[in-house]
Amino acid sequence: MADTIHRAGWQDQPRAARVLRRDRLLDALDRAVSGGFALVVAPVGTGKTTLVEDWTACRGLPARWVRGSVPHEVGWLADPSGTANGRVLVLDDAHAIDAAELVAVQRYIERATPHVTVVVVSRTLPAFNLARREMPMPVLLTEDDLRFRPWEVAQLFADVYEVPVSEAAALDLAARTDGWAAALQLHHLGDAAGRPPMPGPPARDRHATGGRMPGGIAQASGRFLGDYVDREVLASLTPPLVRFLTATSVFDTVTVDRANALLGTATAGATLRALAHREGLVRADPDDALTYHYHPVVREHLRVRLTAELGHGLVRELFDRAADIVGDDGDVVEEAAARARAGNWTALSGLLCSHGGRLTSPESSAWLDALPPGLWRDDPWAGLALARRQLGSGRLDTAAATARRVLDTFHDGPSGTDAAAAQGAALCAEVVDAGVEGMIRRIEDSRLVTAAVAVLVDAADSASRLDDLLAEARATGQVWLARAVLAIALSRQPREWTLTTVRHAAATRAGAGDEVGSFLLECAVVVASLRLGVPDIDLLDRLVDRARLLDWPAAEAWLRAGLALSAASLELPEAAASAQSAAALARSVGSDGALATAYAAMAILCPQSRADLLAQAERLTEPRDADARLPLRPWCWLPPELFRVGRRPDPDAAVTVSTVRTERRPAGSVGGSVGGIAGLDVRCFGDLRVRLGTTQLDLSRVRPVARAVLSALIVRAGEPVRRDELVDWFWPTRTEGAAVHNLHVAVSAGRHALETLVPGQSRAVLARRGESYVFAPDRLDVTDVQRFRAQLRLADAAAAEGHTDAETEALTRTVELYAAHLLPQEGAAEWVVGLREELCRMAAGAATRLAVLHLEAADPRAAIAAASRAVELDSCSDPGWRALITAHGMAGAPAAASLAREGYRRMLRSLGVDAAAGGPVRGTARRRPDARQEERL
C-alpha cells in the first residue's frame, strides 16, 4: 500500500463547496495528528467524507484518498516514513474492505503511525484488533458526534443554504431528522422544489410555524427523502429484512419481544442484531441489549411504505395490535400514541381516564399530534394535554384560556370516574393559576436553568453540555428552556445573524404571549454582547424595566448590576449613580453575584478603592462548596487595563463616549462637535438631512416610527425630552410597558442608523439622561434650529446693549437660516406642529425687526425684502404689513405701497378689524426684547 501511495503521489483532496465548518469536529480530528489514527464511523448520509475533506482543507494537510478496496501490492509492509511523513491517508468507505484486507490495513496503521495520520471512514466499525499494544489509540467519531445540533442546523440553513430559519424551525428540524445531514440537505432541496414560481414571503417567514412545512414543501421534501432512503438504506438489504423493518415500524421503540409478538416468530433478536450491525440507522439501546431504535426519518418512511402496501384500514389494525403489545409491557405512553394512530378513540379515552395525569404532560403527549384537528375541543383530556403543552412552551395566557375552556367539561363530559374528573379539573386549575410568578419560580428553582447560565457565561465550557441540557429540556417537555438553550448556543458564537435570530425569536415569543421566554432570550443576547466587550446599554435598560414589570427582583438586580458595569466600562456620566443603585438593590434582594458586579463597576470608577472593591467582589462570588459551578464574574470579560492599579478614569474618554464639550463655539459657525465628532450638521428647516462632512445619513432604511422619534429628538437638539412625552406622542394608546418597550426599540434603531455615520459615537450623539433622551447634549449648535435660536439670542443681546449693527447682522442670519418650515413632510403630527408654529412666529418676528432696522438705516430695499418675508411667514403680522407699506413709500414706489396697503386691509377685514385703524410704522416703533427674551439672556 505504501508503494501504491508513493507512486501515485500525495494529492490535496478538493474541499467540498459550501460546507458548514463545525469546529468541535475539526478540533477532535486535530487530536488524531499526534496519535496518528482516527476512526469516523457513522451511517450513510451523516457527512463523514465531507467532514474529513473539510478538515484536510482547513488545516492545509496534504491527503491521499483510497476508497472502497485496497490494492494488494507488496509495498503494504514497506516503511511508510520518508516522503509520506506528516501527511494524511484517508481510507474511505472502509466497510467495503474484506476481512483479509483489514488485517493488512491494521498492520500498515501500526507501522505508519505517527509518521502518517491514518483516517478510516466507514459505515460500520471495522474489525480491527484495537487491544493490540502496537495499535495506536484512535480518535473515534460516531453518528452521535456527526449529528447536527439545533444551533448547527440554524447555521447550516443560514450560512450554506442561505435560507435562514427561525429557532423554532431549527429545533423542530433537528428533532424530526435527528440531525441527519442527508435528511437536512434533502429537506432543503424539497423546500426549494416546493417553492411557488412567483416570489413568495421571505424564507424566514416560511418556517414561522415552528418547522411544520406547508403541504407542497412537505411533499417535495418527503419525495426526495423517500427516494434516498429506498436507494441508500433499503436497497442494500434483502427483501425479508425490508419486510421485517416495514412491519415493525409501527413501534416507536422496538424490542425483541414486541417484534416476535407482532410477527409471530422467535427470530427477531437475530434479525435486529444483524440490522444494527449492517446499518447504523438501526441502533441498539446502550442500556438494554434487547431494545432497538429506528432512525426517525427511516421509521416515518417505512410507515409510508406500509400504508402504500396495505392501505389505511390494515395499517390501523397493525397499530392497534402494536398498542395491545406495548400495553402488555406497561408502556402507556407508547400505547396511547399507537391508539391515536390507529384511530381507536374509545381505547384512547379509556387510557386517558386511567392515566390522564401522566399522558397529558408535555413529554408524554405525542398521541396528541395524531388526533384530528379540533378533537381536543370535544375531549377534556385532549384539551388539558394541549393546555399543558402550551404552558410548557411558555404561552401562559393561551394555556390558561385553553384550560378554562375545558375545566367545566371534566364534570359534564366523558372524563371517566369522579376521581379522574377531579384530577383533570385540578390539573386544569394548575395551568390557569400558573401565571408569570409561577414561571419565574420554576426558573429560579430549575437546575437546568442554572446549568444553562453557567454554560453561557463560561466560554471555555464544553458545548456538549448544551446538547445534554437540550435533550433533558425536550425530554421533560420544557420547550421554553429548549429555546433558551438554543439561544445560548447561538449567543456563544455571536455574529450578526445569530444575535438577530435570537432577537427575532424573543420578539416572536413576546407576540405569542410568552413574556418570560422573550425576556430570557434577550438576557442571553445581553450576556453575549457583554462577553464580546460591546455591551448593549439600550437592551439592558429595557430589560431592567421588563424585570420590574415582571416583578422579578433577582433578575432586576443582576440586570442593574450589568448596566452599571457596562456604564462604568464606557465611562458614562451616570455610571456612579447606576452602580450605587445596583448595589442597594442587590443587598435588598440578597444577590451576592449582583452585588459583586456592582462593586466591580465601582472599582472602575474609584481608583483609590479599586483593590478593596475587587477583593470584596471576589469574596462574594467564591464557590460555597466543591460542587459549585464556575462563579459568574462578568467583570472578568472586560479589558484588564480597566482594573489596573493606579489607573484613573480618562476624562477625555468620558467626554468622547457620553458627554460633549461645553466651550462656546463662534456664533454662526456650521457643524458641531459631539463626543469628539467635528462637522456634524443637521438641517431641520425643510426635509431632514443629517450630514458629517460630505457623507449624508440614509434614513430611508429606518422604520417610519423610529425615524419620527429620531426627528422629534433632533428638532429639540440640546434639550432633554422626557420619556413620558415621547410615549404620549407616539404610543398614546399602548400600555406603559409596551410603549416603553417600543420607545427603546425606536431609539435603538435611531442609534443603529447613526452608527453608519458616526461609528462608535451614536450614544454620544443620541444620549440618555435619566428618564429623558437628548440629541446633541449641552446645546451644541449642530442643527439649523439650534443656530437659529442662537442667532436670535445674539440679536436680543445686541439690542439690549444698543449695538444696532450686531443686531442687524444676527437678525439677517436668523432670517436666512429659516429657509423653509420645520419638517413639512411630517404634516400635522402632534410632536412637531406646536414647535413648527413657534419657530415660524419667531422667524416672522425676526424679519419684522430686521425690516424696522433697515428703515431706521434708510435702506428701503433691504426693508422691503425683510418685511415681505415677515408677511409671507405670518400673513396676520400687523407690524410686518405696516413695515412693508412704509418701506415701499420710502423707496418711492406708490403703486407697490398701494398694493401692500390693500393687502393689509384685506387681512384686517378677514379678522374683523377696522381697516382704517392701520397706519404706517415709524422707526421708533421697534420694540426692545420682551420679558421672555430678557429671561433667555
Side-chain angles (χ1 to χ4, degrees):
M1 179 177 181
D3 286 349
T4 302
I5 294 169
H6 295 163
R7 286 200 305 270
W10 291 85
Q11 301 175 359
D12 290 335
Q13 178 72 9
R15 184 183 178 190
R18 302 187 66 77
V19 172
L20 177 67
R21 179 171 296 179
R22 297 200 276 173
D23 290 329
R24 63 182 179 86
L25 299 180
L26 300 180
D27 293 342
L29 285 175
D30 286 343
R31 297 195 296 272
V33 175
S34 59
F37 184 29
L39 280 171
V40 183
V41 182
V44 61
T46 49
K48 304 180 296 295
T49 301
T50 300
L51 169 65
V52 179
E53 288 176 349
D54 191 42
W55 175 62
T56 56
C58 290
R59 302 304 193 244
L61 299 172
R64 172 63 176 162
W65 289 68
V66 177
R67 287 187 169 92
S69 62
V70 179
H72 293 276
E73 273 81 2
V74 179
W76 268 101
L77 300 180
D79 183 4
S81 60
T83 58
N85 193 33
R87 307 302 178 94
V88 176
L89 173 65
V90 182
L91 297 179
D92 201 2
D93 291 340
H95 53 273
I97 302 176
D98 61 32
E101 289 177 334
L102 276 178
V103 174
V105 170
Q106 175 159 342
R107 290 175 181 169
Y108 176 82
I109 293 171
E110 292 172 357
R111 294 176 61 85
T113 56
H115 306 291
V116 176
T117 300
V118 181
V119 181
V120 177
V121 181
S122 177
R123 294 185 185 180
T124 57
L125 185 66
F128 292 137
N129 184 2
L130 298 178
R132 279 177 57 88
R133 180 180 59 83
E134 297 83 359
M135 195 68 172
M137 180 66 67
V139 171
L140 178 62
L141 295 179
T142 65
E143 174 191 5
D144 186 63
D145 297 308
L146 270 63
R147 175 174 53 85
F148 276 76
R149 276 52 176 171
W151 47 93
E152 291 175 332
V153 172
Q155 290 174 314
L156 178 70
F157 276 79
D159 290 350
V160 179
Y161 302 150
E162 297 182 343
V163 184
V165 297
S166 68
E167 93 293 347
L171 284 168
D172 186 67
L173 280 170
R176 290 191 296 115
T177 64
D178 200 25
W180 190 17
L184 294 169
Q185 165 76 4
L186 294 172
H187 169 81
H188 167 62
L189 292 177
D191 190 355
R195 291 175 194 164
M198 297 299 291
R204 64 175 68 249
D205 294 335
R206 291 201 304 274
H207 299 276
T209 58
R212 312 272 183 207
M213 291 78 66
I217 294 176
Q219 292 165 8
S221 175
R223 183 174 66 250
F224 283 116
L225 274 173
D227 292 345
Y228 183 84
V229 173
D230 283 337
R231 183 178 65 254
E232 298 294 336
V233 179
L234 303 182
S236 63
L237 302 178
T238 62
L241 288 178
V242 173
R243 287 195 295 271
F244 178 90
L245 280 172
T246 305
T248 54
S249 67
V250 294
F251 296 112
D252 289 340
T253 301
V254 183
T255 68
V256 172
D257 290 341
R258 289 178 183 180
N260 283 330
L262 180 70
L263 301 176
T265 66
T267 59
T271 305
L272 286 167
R273 285 193 298 273
L275 285 168
H277 178 74
R278 292 187 54 160
E279 291 295 335
L281 296 173
V282 175
R283 300 187 294 272
D285 192 295
D287 299 322
D288 185 354
L290 300 180
T291 300
Y292 295 82
H293 304 278
Y294 296 172
H295 192 283
V297 172
V298 175
R299 184 180 63 235
E300 291 307 313
H301 176 66
L302 291 171
R303 289 174 177 174
V304 171
R305 284 176 59 110
L306 188 64
T307 303
E309 292 173 4
L310 302 181
H312 290 285
L314 288 178
V315 169
R316 289 195 184 99
E317 291 181 11
L318 267 178
F319 273 116
D320 221 15
R321 173 64 180 144
D324 292 337
I325 294 171
V326 298
D328 292 340
D329 286 347
D331 189 345
V332 295
V333 174
E334 184 168 341
E335 181 186 359
R339 297 294 185 197
R341 295 186 188 110
N344 190 340
W345 313 126
T346 302
L348 176 60
S349 179
L351 271 177
L352 291 172
C353 292
S354 303
H355 306 279
R358 180 180 179 188
L359 291 176
T360 57
S361 63
E363 65 272 20
S364 304
S365 61
W367 56 270
L368 191 62
D369 298 323
L371 296 187
L375 184 63
W376 69 268
R377 295 181 181 277
D378 301 323
D379 188 284
W381 290 106
L384 173 59
L386 179 63
R388 295 182 74 182
R389 182 181 288 187
Q390 291 167 341
L391 181 64
S393 69
R395 300 168 60 190
L396 306 182
D397 293 341
T398 305
T402 303
R404 289 191 190 96
R405 279 196 293 267
V406 300
L407 181 58
D408 293 338
T409 61
F410 272 104
H411 298 292
D412 302 333
S415 53
T417 64
D418 291 342
Q423 181 191 32
L427 290 172
C428 281
E430 285 184 12
V431 174
V432 172
D433 296 338
V436 172
E437 293 181 3
M439 185 78 166
I440 292 172
R441 191 162 51 252
R442 287 197 299 274
I443 291 171
E444 291 180 333
D445 295 340
S446 173
R447 175 190 60 80
L448 291 178
V449 172
T450 303
V453 171
V455 174
L456 175 61
V457 302
D458 182 11
D461 205 342
S462 172
S464 63
R465 285 180 54 78
L466 285 172
D467 200 29
D468 297 338
L469 290 169
L470 185 63
E472 189 168 352
R474 293 182 69 92
T476 55
Q478 300 181 76
V479 180
W480 63 269
L481 180 56
R483 284 194 299 267
V485 172
L486 176 56
I488 287 171
L490 293 175
S491 301
R492 277 167 57 97
Q493 42 188 348
R495 294 161 52 193
E496 181 178 354
W497 77 263
T498 58
L499 293 184
T500 299
T501 298
V502 178
R503 289 190 179 97
H504 180 266
T508 302
R509 298 316 308 158
D514 183 7
E515 287 297 330
V516 177
S518 171
F519 176 80
L520 289 175
L521 293 177
E522 290 198 322
C523 285
V525 174
V526 157
V527 175
S529 301
L530 190 57
R531 263 187 41 217
L532 278 177
V534 285
D536 192 331
I537 298 290
D538 283 341
L539 184 54
L540 276 164
D541 252 344
R542 187 163 70 247
L543 289 174
V544 166
D545 292 337
R546 290 183 65 185
R548 191 184 305 114
L549 290 173
L550 288 171
D551 194 20
W552 196 346
E556 183 183 353
W558 268 109
L559 288 165
R560 283 194 178 278
L563 181 60
L565 185 65
S566 302
S569 68
L570 296 175
E571 297 185 335
L572 299 180
E574 62 267 26
S578 180
Q580 295 287 350
S581 173
L585 180 59
R587 289 191 196 96
S588 66
V589 172
S591 175
D592 289 345
L595 181 58
T597 305
Y599 282 162
M602 295 178 189
I604 297 176
L605 302 170
C606 306
Q608 66 277 12
S609 306
R610 181 167 295 152
D612 291 340
L613 287 167
L614 284 176
Q616 290 187 57
E618 296 288 337
R619 283 195 298 271
L620 284 168
T621 53
E622 286 178 354
R624 296 288 188 267
D625 53 65
D627 296 329
R629 291 286 308 161
L630 181 76
L632 177 54
R633 293 171 176 168
W635 60 91
C636 295
W637 306 331
L638 299 177
E641 56 267 20
L642 287 174
F643 301 97
R644 190 179 67 248
V645 175
R647 174 192 171 274
R648 292 184 175 276
D650 183 359
D652 290 336
V655 169
T656 298
V657 174
S658 60
T659 62
V660 295
R661 305 183 188 279
T662 57
E663 63 266 20
R664 293 183 62 87
R665 297 170 52 253
S669 60
V670 176
S673 175
V674 178
I677 300 172
L680 184 63
D681 179 36
V682 184
R683 182 185 69 191
C684 302
F685 292 125
D687 293 337
L688 181 64
R689 185 198 67 191
V690 183
R691 187 175 63 186
L692 181 65
T694 59
T695 305
Q696 184 167 325
L697 178 63
D698 181 12
L699 292 171
S700 62
R701 298 178 181 273
V702 182
R703 293 184 299 111
V705 66
R707 186 166 60 244
V709 171
L710 180 62
S711 300
L713 294 169
I714 285 176
V715 296
R716 295 166 177 82
E719 301 176 4
V721 182
R722 289 187 56 80
R723 186 173 70 181
D724 53 2
E725 287 185 278
L726 293 167
V727 166
D728 288 342
W729 285 338
F730 295 101
W731 299 281
T733 61
R734 293 292 187 95
T735 63
E736 180 185 1
V740 170
H741 172 79
N742 290 344
L743 174 59
H744 285 310
V745 172
V747 171
S748 179
R751 284 176 173 162
H752 182 72
L754 288 169
E755 276 292 318
T756 62
L757 190 67
V758 288
Q761 298 292 333
S762 61
R763 296 184 187 280
V765 178
L766 181 51
R768 178 167 179 172
R769 295 290 183 265
E771 295 297 310
S772 302
Y773 290 97
V774 56
F775 184 88
D778 298 337
R779 290 183 176 275
L780 274 180
D781 300 343
V782 298
T783 72
D784 50 2
V785 173
Q786 288 176 299
R787 293 190 288 274
F788 172 86
R789 293 183 183 274
Q791 291 299 325
L792 198 53
R793 287 195 296 271
L794 286 176
D796 292 344
E801 297 174 4
H803 299 314
T804 303
D805 291 342
E807 182 184 7
T808 302
E809 180 182 358
L811 289 172
T812 300
R813 289 177 180 170
T814 302
V815 175
E816 289 173 351
L817 282 167
Y818 196 90
H821 291 303
L822 183 72
L823 301 183
Q825 71 275 11
E826 297 296 343
E830 180 184 359
W831 58 269
V832 74
V833 167
L835 183 58
R836 182 191 294 148
E837 293 175 351
E838 177 191 356
L839 292 173
C840 184
R841 286 194 301 269
M842 293 170 65
T848 301
R849 288 174 57 185
L850 182 59
V852 172
L853 286 172
H854 286 314
L855 287 175
E856 291 179 345
D859 187 352
R861 291 182 180 275
I864 290 171
S868 297
R869 180 62 171 153
V871 298
E872 178 188 355
L873 294 173
D874 184 2
S875 61
C876 296
S877 172
D878 187 270
W881 280 109
R882 294 166 64 190
L884 181 60
I885 295 168
T886 302
H888 280 305
M890 183 182 291
S898 177
L899 288 174
R901 192 175 293 108
E902 181 57 31
Y904 181 36
R905 291 194 181 104
R906 284 198 300 271
M907 182 274 291
L908 292 174
R909 283 196 297 271
S910 70
L911 298 177
V913 179
D914 184 6
V921 64
R922 304 299 181 192
T924 56
R926 181 169 59 87
R927 296 191 301 171
R928 296 296 181 189
D930 58 21
R932 183 178 178 185
Q933 293 167 337
E934 291 287 354
E935 181 181 356
R936 287 180 180 173
L937 292 175

